[in-house]
Amino acid sequence: MSNPITDKNKQVNYLKERLQIFVEVLDAIDPETADIEDIDRLIKIIDDVEEKMDQFHNRNELTKE
């Protein structure tokens, strides 16, 4: 398992990279042939980003104390 990201710049870069992956997946989907798995994949990426944001926020709050 890798070390937690505690540097705010690295956290932002991580989130930007994940959102870029989301955009690339979204662009690759053909609206005419998209199925539920495609939508589920997009939702999973967004859920992962949201989870990381919460982790980063909690980690940053702990370092303030």
Side-chain angles (χ1 to χ4, degrees), residues 2-57:
S2 62
N3 292 332
I5 302 172
T6 55
D7 178 81
K8 287 186 183 186
N9 289 329
K10 289 181 181 177
Q11 291 173 345
V12 170
N13 286 335
Y14 175 88
L15 294 172
K16 284 181 179 180
E17 289 170 8
R18 294 298 296 166
L19 289 172
Q20 183 59 39
I21 291 169
F22 174 82
V23 169
E24 290 171 7
V25 171
L26 184 60
D27 285 343
I29 293 176
D30 179 0
E32 299 297 321
T33 60
D35 59 14
I36 194 71
E37 283 103 21
D38 295 323
I39 304 304
D40 285 344
R41 192 173 306 118
L42 291 169
I43 292 170
K44 174 78 170 107
I45 294 170
I46 294 298
D47 286 346
D48 290 346
V49 168
E50 181 179 23
E51 183 179 329
K52 273 296 180 191
M53 286 174 47
D54 289 342
Q55 288 175 2
F56 292 158
H57 177 75

